[in-house]
Amino acid sequence: RRWCACVCLPGNSRFPTSNSTVGGEAVKAMPPKSTPPCRILLVDDHADALSALQLFLEMSGHEVQQAADVEQALRLAKEWNPDVVFLDLNLSGQFDGLTLGETLRRTYPRLRLVALTGSMRQDVQERLMRAQFNGYLTKPVDIHELLPYCQC
């Protein structure tokens, strides 16, 4: 079986934040040299999909770890102390990604949380806002849309 990753342009919708671009502004492929690297946790139960994201973020100068499930994500959040978590909302298991995000937000209030989702329903968007996610990206993710959230 062969796997490939795709880069999708133009970008998809997300919550506007002070660290993101809105309205199709270009995002540089590499963070400015003055930007310190972030510790980034990628959470998705489809590891192949995250490999390309991890490679891109590491090539951009960031430290990246992956978690395939809720338990691993909670353990890495506690032990590794990431700055940013990109979190798939459709995790399988005891918790979905949204519930995991709510737990992470309560436990680590300064953590930057970004949801990854295949589609965005109004009720999910409202719950993301209540849970104080910093934004969301729609899959397939344009890898350049990750960088505005990686300003540490």
Side-chain angles (χ1 to χ4, degrees):
R1 192 183 243 193
R2 299 180 135 219
W3 292 93
C4 66
C6 64
V7 176
C8 300
L9 296 172
N12 297 308
S13 298
R14 64 180 173 271
F15 297 134
T17 68
S18 60
N19 293 326
S20 66
T21 58
V22 180
E25 293 179 30
V27 177
K28 293 181 182 179
M30 301 293 280
K33 292 193 185 297
S34 62
T35 302
C38 290
R39 296 178 79 142
I40 300 169
L41 178 57
L42 301 173
V43 184
D44 196 328
D45 49 5
H46 297 285
D48 292 329
L50 293 181
S51 295
L53 298 180
Q54 180 171 0
L55 178 63
F56 175 77
L57 291 167
E58 287 174 343
M59 289 176 61
S60 297
H62 302 290
E63 298 176 48
V64 182
Q65 293 284 326
Q66 288 188 26
D69 57 43
V70 170
E71 293 78 21
Q72 187 179 19
L74 290 171
R75 182 180 51 78
L76 281 170
K78 182 178 181 179
E79 295 173 2
W80 193 57
N81 193 28
D83 301 301
V84 182
V85 175
F86 291 102
L87 174 59
D88 180 26
L89 294 183
N90 294 316
L91 292 174
S92 57
Q94 181 181 0
F95 290 94
D96 64 6
L98 194 48
T99 304
L100 172 59
E102 290 168 337
T103 301
L104 289 171
R105 174 58 70 217
R106 280 192 308 273
T107 309
Y108 308 100
R110 298 185 68 180
L111 183 66
R112 192 170 305 141
L113 278 173
V114 182
L116 305 176
T117 182
S119 65
M120 183 53 64
R121 297 185 328 257
Q122 183 65 33
D123 61 320
V124 174
Q125 187 173 359
E126 290 168 4
R127 193 168 163 201
L128 286 173
M129 290 171 62
R130 280 194 309 272
Q132 299 177 352
F133 273 70
N134 297 91
Y136 69 88
L137 300 172
T138 306
K139 292 180 176 182
V141 174
D142 173 350
I143 57 177
H144 293 90
E145 285 192 323
L146 301 171
L147 293 179
Y149 297 103
C150 302
Q151 305 294 316
C152 294

